[in-house]
């Protein structure tokens, strides 16, 4: 059983990503707002678009700190952000959902989300994803790296130089694999389970456009930024 060693360079690389991830978190706590009271579908949809808009802005700031991202072709930078924004927001939602809350609060939050206005058919895949992310008990380094790896996915639509993106994603996968071995020594399959969540994320990505239009209300309004990123309106 070889000893897992994270090199000094990998430690420094990891700190850059973790520091950027921690500095770029959404200010208003959506969970706290949701636990306060039940809102109407219209109010919830507005809350979602506000949260998603600020999350995209935060995601751009975080991405700029991923080593090598700014040296990519500019159009590829946009393609990576556009291609990963929905997945990053579901990953963030999952982390919010599975964050430690006082007893019974997670159940109230789940109830509020179930009644928020999203149509029933998407509840199962969405909560399956949230619960399987929660069961992983990721440390914050793993959360930060998983988000960075999701952004740095070479096969997004319209990416021209996929090799350049692979070269940036590989060192992050190497560090993540070592971190998983270090933080979860008794779960040799943990790294594979973590990457399996990225596959699950892609299916949520696939549902997203349908989910948006299925909210039980008419006249879904979006911000200009979300029109760009979500390909709506
Ligand atoms: O605000 C939210 N998510 C933000 C969290 C931070 C990153 C950016 C997204 C929404 C709440 C909105 C108000 C009504 C309840 C859900 N949210 C979601 C979520 C996400 C997408 C759709 C959806 N619908 N159509 N397309 N995407 C629906 C719900 N899951 C969450 C789990 C924990 C906490 C909040 C959660």
């Amino acid at each position: 059983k070889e000893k897992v060693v994270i090199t000094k360079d990998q430690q420094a690389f990891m700190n850059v990503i973790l520091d950027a991830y921690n500095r770029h978190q959404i200010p208003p706590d959506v969970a706290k707002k949701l636990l306060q009271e039940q809102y109407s579908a219209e109010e919830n949809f507005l809350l979602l678009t506000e949260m998603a808009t600020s999350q995209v802005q935060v995601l751009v700031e975080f991405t700029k700190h991923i080593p090598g991202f700014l040296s990519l072709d500019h159009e590829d930078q946009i393609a990576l952000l556009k291609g990963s924004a929905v997945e990053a927001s579901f990953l963030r939602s999952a982390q919010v959902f599975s964050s430690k809350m006082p007893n019974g609060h997670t159940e109230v939050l789940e109830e509020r989300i179930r009644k928020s206005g999203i149509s029933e058919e998407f509840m199962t895949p969405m909560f399956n994803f949230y619960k399987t992310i929660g069961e992983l008990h990721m440390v914050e380094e793993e959360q930060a790296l998983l988000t960075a790896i999701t952004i740095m996915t070479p096969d997004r639509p319209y990416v021209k130089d996929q090799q350049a993106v692979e070269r940036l994603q590989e060192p992050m996968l190497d560090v993540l694999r070592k971190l998983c071995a270090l933080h979860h020594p008794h779960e040799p399959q943990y790294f594979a389970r973590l990457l399996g969540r990225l596959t699950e994320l892609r299916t949520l990505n696939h549902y997203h456009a349908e989910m948006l239009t299925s909210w039980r209300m008419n006249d879904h309004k979006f911000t200009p930024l979300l029109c760009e990123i979500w390909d709506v309106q």
Side-chain angles (χ1 to χ4, degrees), residues 1 30 35-36 45 64 86-88 104 108-109 120 123 125 140 144 146 173 183 191 208-209 214 224 231:
K1 208 164 136 36
V30 63
L35 289 165
Q36 270 154 8
F45 194 79
K64 282 158 64 175
V86 169
E87 291 179 18
V108 171
L109 181 60
E120 280 303 306
M123 291 296 160
E140 58 174 359
L146 202 63
L173 285 163
H183 290 288
F191 177 60
H208 187 249
S214 76
D231 278 335

Side-chain angles (χ1 to χ4, degrees), residues 12-152:
F13 178 81
M14 176 64 241
N15 290 340
V16 165
I17 292 172
L18 180 60
D19 177 49
Y21 184 73
N22 285 332
R23 263 184 304 112
H24 298 105
Q25 288 310 339
I26 297 180
D29 184 341
V30 63
K32 207 172 277 135
K33 215 168 152 74
L34 288 169
L35 289 165
Q36 270 154 8
E37 59 183 289
Q38 175 73 38
Y39 298 98
S40 70
E42 284 74 12
E43 287 164 329
N44 278 322
F45 194 79
L46 178 65
L47 183 56
L48 169 68
T49 53
E50 285 167 353
M51 294 307 298
T53 300
S54 70
Q55 207 256 349
V56 170
Q57 289 156 343
V58 152
L59 192 74
V60 171
E61 279 317 301
F62 167 62
T63 306
K64 282 158 64 175
H65 290 80
I66 299 175
F69 178 79
L70 292 176
S71 59
L72 291 171
D73 170 281
H74 282 208
E75 286 174 350
D76 284 355
Q77 292 180 22
I78 301 295
L80 290 177
L81 279 165
K82 198 162 154 40
S84 62
V86 169
E87 291 179 18
S89 86
F90 274 123
L91 197 49
R92 186 76 198 120
S93 294
Q95 285 155 2
V96 170
F97 186 78
S98 41
S99 56
K100 191 81 195 82
M101 274 182 259
N103 279 349
H105 283 217
T106 304
E107 288 68 23
V108 171
L109 181 60
E110 175 161 351
E111 204 41 41
R112 290 279 151 80
I113 296 169
R114 286 188 182 279
K115 293 210 186 87
S116 61
I118 313 162
S119 82
E120 280 303 306
E121 64 186 293
F122 301 112
M123 291 296 160
T124 309
M126 204 168 81
F127 283 107
N128 280 349
F129 178 69
Y130 292 170
K131 289 176 181 167
T132 47
I133 285 284
E135 284 155 11
L136 286 167
H137 300 297
M138 277 191 266
V139 297
E140 58 174 359
E141 290 89 341
E142 290 162 348
Q143 290 188 17
L145 273 174
L146 202 63
T147 304
I149 287 163
T150 301
I151 296 161
M152 239 19 122

